[in-house]
Amino acid sequence: MAEEPPPLGPLRAATTGEQVAHRLSTAIALGEFSLGDRLPSERELAALLEVSRESVRAALRRLTEAGLIEVRRGRGGGAFVRAQWAESSETSVREALLAQWEDFEALFDYRRLIESLIARTAAQRATDDDRAAIRAALTAFEGSANPAEARRHDTELHLVIARTTHNARLVRLHQLLLSEVSLGVSEEPYTWEIYEEARPHHRDLAEAVLGGDAERAAEVAGEHFAITENALRRLAARVGRDRP
Amino acid sequence: MAEEPPPLGPLRAATTGEQVAHRLSTAIALGEFSLGDRLPSERELAALLEVSRESVRAALRRLTEAGLIEVRRGRGGGAFVRAQWAESSETSVREALLAQWEDFEALFDYRRLIESLIARTAAQRATDDDRAAIRAALTAFEGSANPAEARRHDTELHLVIARTTHNARLVRLHQLLLSEVSLGVSEEPYTWEIYEEARPHHRDLAEAVLGGDAERAAEVAGEHFAITENALRRLAARVGRDRP
DNA sequence: CGTAAAGGTCTGGAAACTAGACCTTTACCC
DNA sequence: GGGTAAAGGTCTAGTTTCCAGACCTTTACG
């Protein structure tokens, strides 16, 4: 389990490049840019973020090294979001997982708790507008034509539910957790298998929220978000862990 | 209600002085340094935080301007935590409150939700060690000799309960919220009146957690943390607001 | 084959941060 | 009372980071 930080330890200053890299990776994790998408050009990013182009380039170098993006030169080039598992060797995955395993345990536990709270609160606070939005998001999800689309609609549905709490901070926490989990596990591809597993959960969750059944919503959410955790556990096992 | 931030807006870089100021004010809000305490000397702080003394001084200037500390020169001098309401005029209080009222509404709502979650989870996860710690903290709180001590024990009891969730992130969130609320309302003095109001709540909360009654714990926590909110509302009314 | 749109590189200057020396104030102790 | 220690207050020089902008190179498209 991660430690509580000491009250007055050293201050680690993040360079501008690191901060930009964090922003960008978060945006990618939140689906702002999907697989294969091109990020804005360096000059555009520099303008958007109001930093120098050099800082943007420092960030892109980081993301490239992390395997998150791929940079192509020339006209029509730019930084493209890469399929995550593409070239990361299994041993590097294993090392990453093992090194941070305690953190992940805590992170997933945290996420399950928070998402249960969000579901519970959403069920208690849903207005008619919220209900309409949830229904629309659920329909969109269930009509997904391919995994990429399913993933987008999945994210969107959960976002709509988070918004139903009518608390911007909870929404932000939801997004923060989503991005942390996505980046932490390097975003396993969204397969039809996962889709099929998530589908009934989403329906149950939506119905509980729509029906105002807070307890049930909390419970279903708890189970649902165990999916990611289990997927990670399976992955860890596949990669060859020795721990339970 | 606070807005959701745009995905790729300008990046606001915090200067080292600001970061140090944030660290220090958080430490104060969390009770690391209580009213009247002396902070470590500038040179010590610089060494602890691994920044230059100038940066520490920049931070102390900020905190002084904010009225959070008072700096005395000469031997035995230093930065002392000040009684918050001491010299801030009512109009400045009023302006601060009104300017951030939407934020506060969201913040307190958020806090109530999170603290309910913490209480609920603590009730579900308490071990014998946790129970002993909670009992000890409750006893200490109830035996407080003066408001200052009561405040410390109050904080400590809630911290112990947060730790009972066995999730370091929840603990951190608890502390983050505590510090944000404390700083936001400039920490109204902890009076016997508040103590008397909090006392039965604490007992109920502790009993619910000790007894593993998650629902009751969540409910009591929700009511308890409405205290701060109501105190703020009363303050706002006293200061002369016109809104409900 | 020229041009436009992208990344890649370089340079000069501005701003922030640091390290350290030195000054001033104040309390305590002899 | 005078000395001294411990604190804040000030100044300077040097380093690092960041920025703005010009310019080069690569590549696709018309």
PDB file of all heavy atoms in Angstrom, chain A residues 24-44:
ATOM      1  N   LEU A  24      -0.906  15.927 -21.819  1.00  0.00           N
ATOM      2  CA  LEU A  24      -1.182  15.212 -23.060  1.00  0.00           C
ATOM      3  C   LEU A  24      -1.545  13.757 -22.798  1.00  0.00           C
ATOM      4  O   LEU A  24      -2.519  13.238 -23.354  1.00  0.00           O
ATOM      5  CB  LEU A  24       0.031  15.291 -23.989  1.00  0.00           C
ATOM      6  CG  LEU A  24       0.310  16.682 -24.559  1.00  0.00           C
ATOM      7  CD1 LEU A  24       1.577  16.667 -25.404  1.00  0.00           C
ATOM      8  CD2 LEU A  24      -0.874  17.150 -25.397  1.00  0.00           C
ATOM      9  N   SER A  25      -0.773  13.107 -21.928  1.00  0.00           N
ATOM     10  CA  SER A  25      -1.081  11.700 -21.673  1.00  0.00           C
ATOM     11  C   SER A  25      -2.450  11.573 -21.027  1.00  0.00           C
ATOM     12  O   SER A  25      -3.193  10.626 -21.308  1.00  0.00           O
ATOM     13  CB  SER A  25       0.008  11.062 -20.811  1.00  0.00           C
ATOM     14  OG  SER A  25       0.131  11.754 -19.590  1.00  0.00           O
ATOM     15  N   THR A  26      -2.796  12.536 -20.198  1.00  0.00           N
ATOM     16  CA  THR A  26      -4.129  12.509 -19.589  1.00  0.00           C
ATOM     17  C   THR A  26      -5.207  12.654 -20.660  1.00  0.00           C
ATOM     18  O   THR A  26      -6.195  11.925 -20.668  1.00  0.00           O
ATOM     19  CB  THR A  26      -4.271  13.637 -18.561  1.00  0.00           C
ATOM     20  OG1 THR A  26      -3.285  13.464 -17.558  1.00  0.00           O
ATOM     21  CG2 THR A  26      -5.644  13.613 -17.935  1.00  0.00           C
ATOM     22  N   ALA A  27      -4.977  13.602 -21.552  1.00  0.00           N
ATOM     23  CA  ALA A  27      -5.954  13.812 -22.622  1.00  0.00           C
ATOM     24  C   ALA A  27      -6.122  12.545 -23.450  1.00  0.00           C
ATOM     25  O   ALA A  27      -7.238  12.167 -23.818  1.00  0.00           O
ATOM     26  CB  ALA A  27      -5.517  14.974 -23.513  1.00  0.00           C
ATOM     27  N   ILE A  28      -5.021  11.870 -23.701  1.00  0.00           N
ATOM     28  CA  ILE A  28      -5.100  10.629 -24.472  1.00  0.00           C
ATOM     29  C   ILE A  28      -5.866   9.579 -23.680  1.00  0.00           C
ATOM     30  O   ILE A  28      -6.766   8.910 -24.205  1.00  0.00           O
ATOM     31  CB  ILE A  28      -3.686  10.122 -24.808  1.00  0.00           C
ATOM     32  CG1 ILE A  28      -3.016  11.060 -25.816  1.00  0.00           C
ATOM     33  CG2 ILE A  28      -3.742   8.711 -25.371  1.00  0.00           C
ATOM     34  CD1 ILE A  28      -1.551  10.765 -26.056  1.00  0.00           C
ATOM     35  N   ALA A  29      -5.524   9.457 -22.403  1.00  0.00           N
ATOM     36  CA  ALA A  29      -6.175   8.439 -21.575  1.00  0.00           C
ATOM     37  C   ALA A  29      -7.673   8.688 -21.467  1.00  0.00           C
ATOM     38  O   ALA A  29      -8.461   7.755 -21.357  1.00  0.00           O
ATOM     39  CB  ALA A  29      -5.542   8.422 -20.186  1.00  0.00           C
ATOM     40  N   LEU A  30      -8.068   9.945 -21.503  1.00  0.00           N
ATOM     41  CA  LEU A  30      -9.494  10.269 -21.369  1.00  0.00           C
ATOM     42  C   LEU A  30     -10.223  10.140 -22.703  1.00  0.00           C
ATOM     43  O   LEU A  30     -11.407  10.426 -22.786  1.00  0.00           O
ATOM     44  CB  LEU A  30      -9.668  11.679 -20.818  1.00  0.00           C
ATOM     45  CG  LEU A  30      -9.241  11.857 -19.366  1.00  0.00           C
ATOM     46  CD1 LEU A  30      -9.446  13.293 -18.929  1.00  0.00           C
ATOM     47  CD2 LEU A  30     -10.036  10.920 -18.477  1.00  0.00           C
ATOM     48  N   GLY A  31      -9.495   9.759 -23.735  1.00  0.00           N
ATOM     49  CA  GLY A  31     -10.153   9.563 -25.015  1.00  0.00           C
ATOM     50  C   GLY A  31     -10.301  10.836 -25.817  1.00  0.00           C
ATOM     51  O   GLY A  31     -10.992  10.866 -26.835  1.00  0.00           O
ATOM     52  N   GLU A  32      -9.650  11.899 -25.356  1.00  0.00           N
ATOM     53  CA  GLU A  32      -9.684  13.149 -26.111  1.00  0.00           C
ATOM     54  C   GLU A  32      -9.045  12.911 -27.475  1.00  0.00           C
ATOM     55  O   GLU A  32      -9.475  13.462 -28.482  1.00  0.00           O
ATOM     56  CB  GLU A  32      -8.884  14.219 -25.341  1.00  0.00           C
ATOM     57  CG  GLU A  32      -9.351  15.618 -25.593  1.00  0.00           C
ATOM     58  CD  GLU A  32     -10.685  15.848 -24.909  1.00  0.00           C
ATOM     59  OE1 GLU A  32     -10.879  15.378 -23.761  1.00  0.00           O
ATOM     60  OE2 GLU A  32     -11.538  16.479 -25.544  1.00  0.00           O
ATOM     61  N   PHE A  33      -8.027  12.099 -27.465  1.00  0.00           N
ATOM     62  CA  PHE A  33      -7.401  11.636 -28.703  1.00  0.00           C
ATOM     63  C   PHE A  33      -7.406  10.114 -28.667  1.00  0.00           C
ATOM     64  O   PHE A  33      -6.930   9.514 -27.703  1.00  0.00           O
ATOM     65  CB  PHE A  33      -5.957  12.142 -28.810  1.00  0.00           C
ATOM     66  CG  PHE A  33      -5.844  13.634 -28.696  1.00  0.00           C
ATOM     67  CD1 PHE A  33      -5.398  14.209 -27.528  1.00  0.00           C
ATOM     68  CD2 PHE A  33      -6.214  14.451 -29.760  1.00  0.00           C
ATOM     69  CE1 PHE A  33      -5.302  15.585 -27.417  1.00  0.00           C
ATOM     70  CE2 PHE A  33      -6.120  15.828 -29.654  1.00  0.00           C
ATOM     71  CZ  PHE A  33      -5.669  16.399 -28.478  1.00  0.00           C
ATOM     72  N   SER A  34      -7.958   9.522 -29.706  1.00  0.00           N
ATOM     73  CA  SER A  34      -8.035   8.064 -29.705  1.00  0.00           C
ATOM     74  C   SER A  34      -6.878   7.474 -30.490  1.00  0.00           C
ATOM     75  O   SER A  34      -6.094   8.173 -31.120  1.00  0.00           O
ATOM     76  CB  SER A  34      -9.358   7.604 -30.317  1.00  0.00           C
ATOM     77  OG  SER A  34     -10.421   8.356 -29.803  1.00  0.00           O
ATOM     78  N   LEU A  35      -6.866   6.163 -30.482  1.00  0.00           N
ATOM     79  CA  LEU A  35      -5.831   5.415 -31.159  1.00  0.00           C
ATOM     80  C   LEU A  35      -5.726   5.828 -32.616  1.00  0.00           C
ATOM     81  O   LEU A  35      -6.705   5.796 -33.353  1.00  0.00           O
ATOM     82  CB  LEU A  35      -6.202   3.942 -31.074  1.00  0.00           C
ATOM     83  CG  LEU A  35      -5.044   3.027 -30.832  1.00  0.00           C
ATOM     84  CD1 LEU A  35      -5.370   2.096 -29.703  1.00  0.00           C
ATOM     85  CD2 LEU A  35      -4.744   2.302 -32.109  1.00  0.00           C
ATOM     86  N   GLY A  36      -4.534   6.205 -33.028  1.00  0.00           N
ATOM     87  CA  GLY A  36      -4.324   6.576 -34.425  1.00  0.00           C
ATOM     88  C   GLY A  36      -4.535   8.052 -34.697  1.00  0.00           C
ATOM     89  O   GLY A  36      -4.130   8.544 -35.750  1.00  0.00           O
ATOM     90  N   ASP A  37      -5.172   8.743 -33.796  1.00  0.00           N
ATOM     91  CA  ASP A  37      -5.395  10.178 -33.985  1.00  0.00           C
ATOM     92  C   ASP A  37      -4.081  10.935 -34.026  1.00  0.00           C
ATOM     93  O   ASP A  37      -3.087  10.504 -33.445  1.00  0.00           O
ATOM     94  CB  ASP A  37      -6.227  10.746 -32.824  1.00  0.00           C
ATOM     95  CG  ASP A  37      -7.699  10.451 -32.996  1.00  0.00           C
ATOM     96  OD1 ASP A  37      -8.057   9.783 -33.980  1.00  0.00           O
ATOM     97  OD2 ASP A  37      -8.482  10.888 -32.137  1.00  0.00           O
ATOM     98  N   ARG A  38      -4.153  12.079 -34.699  1.00  0.00           N
ATOM     99  CA  ARG A  38      -2.984  12.944 -34.699  1.00  0.00           C
ATOM    100  C   ARG A  38      -3.182  14.040 -33.680  1.00  0.00           C
ATOM    101  O   ARG A  38      -4.234  14.685 -33.646  1.00  0.00           O
ATOM    102  CB  ARG A  38      -2.809  13.573 -36.089  1.00  0.00           C
ATOM    103  CG  ARG A  38      -1.360  13.916 -36.408  1.00  0.00           C
ATOM    104  CD  ARG A  38      -1.256  15.038 -37.407  1.00  0.00           C
ATOM    105  NE  ARG A  38      -1.623  16.304 -36.777  1.00  0.00           N
ATOM    106  CZ  ARG A  38      -1.632  17.455 -37.424  1.00  0.00           C
ATOM    107  NH1 ARG A  38      -1.351  17.493 -38.703  1.00  0.00           N
ATOM    108  NH2 ARG A  38      -1.950  18.562 -36.783  1.00  0.00           N
ATOM    109  N   LEU A  39      -2.180  14.275 -32.857  1.00  0.00           N
ATOM    110  CA  LEU A  39      -2.253  15.404 -31.924  1.00  0.00           C
ATOM    111  C   LEU A  39      -2.067  16.691 -32.710  1.00  0.00           C
ATOM    112  O   LEU A  39      -1.559  16.671 -33.830  1.00  0.00           O
ATOM    113  CB  LEU A  39      -1.134  15.285 -30.876  1.00  0.00           C
ATOM    114  CG  LEU A  39      -1.452  14.554 -29.580  1.00  0.00           C
ATOM    115  CD1 LEU A  39      -2.072  13.203 -29.838  1.00  0.00           C
ATOM    116  CD2 LEU A  39      -0.182  14.381 -28.749  1.00  0.00           C
ATOM    117  N   PRO A  40      -2.457  17.818 -32.148  1.00  0.00           N
ATOM    118  CA  PRO A  40      -2.183  19.098 -32.812  1.00  0.00           C
ATOM    119  C   PRO A  40      -0.685  19.235 -33.063  1.00  0.00           C
ATOM    120  O   PRO A  40       0.118  18.595 -32.382  1.00  0.00           O
ATOM    121  CB  PRO A  40      -2.671  20.128 -31.789  1.00  0.00           C
ATOM    122  CG  PRO A  40      -3.667  19.409 -30.957  1.00  0.00           C
ATOM    123  CD  PRO A  40      -3.221  17.981 -30.912  1.00  0.00           C
ATOM    124  N   SER A  41      -0.319  20.074 -34.027  1.00  0.00           N
ATOM    125  CA  SER A  41       1.098  20.238 -34.336  1.00  0.00           C
ATOM    126  C   SER A  41       1.823  20.890 -33.164  1.00  0.00           C
ATOM    127  O   SER A  41       1.203  21.499 -32.289  1.00  0.00           O
ATOM    128  CB  SER A  41       1.262  21.095 -35.582  1.00  0.00           C
ATOM    129  OG  SER A  41       0.982  22.438 -35.266  1.00  0.00           O
ATOM    130  N   GLU A  42       3.123  20.773 -33.157  1.00  0.00           N
ATOM    131  CA  GLU A  42       3.913  21.338 -32.062  1.00  0.00           C
ATOM    132  C   GLU A  42       3.610  22.818 -31.885  1.00  0.00           C
ATOM    133  O   GLU A  42       3.450  23.299 -30.770  1.00  0.00           O
ATOM    134  CB  GLU A  42       5.404  21.148 -32.349  1.00  0.00           C
ATOM    135  CG  GLU A  42       5.825  19.700 -32.364  1.00  0.00           C
ATOM    136  CD  GLU A  42       7.307  19.549 -32.685  1.00  0.00           C
ATOM    137  OE1 GLU A  42       7.951  20.561 -33.018  1.00  0.00           O
ATOM    138  OE2 GLU A  42       7.805  18.422 -32.595  1.00  0.00           O
ATOM    139  N   ARG A  43       3.525  23.510 -33.005  1.00  0.00           N
ATOM    140  CA  ARG A  43       3.271  24.955 -32.915  1.00  0.00           C
ATOM    141  C   ARG A  43       1.881  25.231 -32.337  1.00  0.00           C
ATOM    142  O   ARG A  43       1.701  26.154 -31.541  1.00  0.00           O
ATOM    143  CB  ARG A  43       3.418  25.587 -34.296  1.00  0.00           C
ATOM    144  CG  ARG A  43       4.865  25.628 -34.795  1.00  0.00           C
ATOM    145  CD  ARG A  43       4.959  26.044 -36.260  1.00  0.00           C
ATOM    146  NE  ARG A  43       6.334  26.166 -36.740  1.00  0.00           N
ATOM    147  CZ  ARG A  43       7.070  25.153 -37.198  1.00  0.00           C
ATOM    148  NH1 ARG A  43       6.566  23.931 -37.237  1.00  0.00           N
ATOM    149  NH2 ARG A  43       8.314  25.361 -37.606  1.00  0.00           N
ATOM    150  N   GLU A  44       0.911  24.431 -32.737  1.00  0.00           N
ATOM    151  CA  GLU A  44      -0.440  24.607 -32.198  1.00  0.00           C
ATOM    152  C   GLU A  44      -0.474  24.327 -30.700  1.00  0.00           C
ATOM    153  O   GLU A  44      -1.057  25.089 -29.920  1.00  0.00           O
ATOM    154  CB  GLU A  44      -1.421  23.671 -32.912  1.00  0.00           C
ATOM    155  CG  GLU A  44      -1.859  24.161 -34.277  1.00  0.00           C
ATOM    156  CD  GLU A  44      -2.775  23.140 -34.940  1.00  0.00           C
ATOM    157  OE1 GLU A  44      -2.263  22.084 -35.377  1.00  0.00           O
ATOM    158  OE2 GLU A  44      -3.987  23.378 -35.021  1.00  0.00           O
TER     159      GLU A  44
END
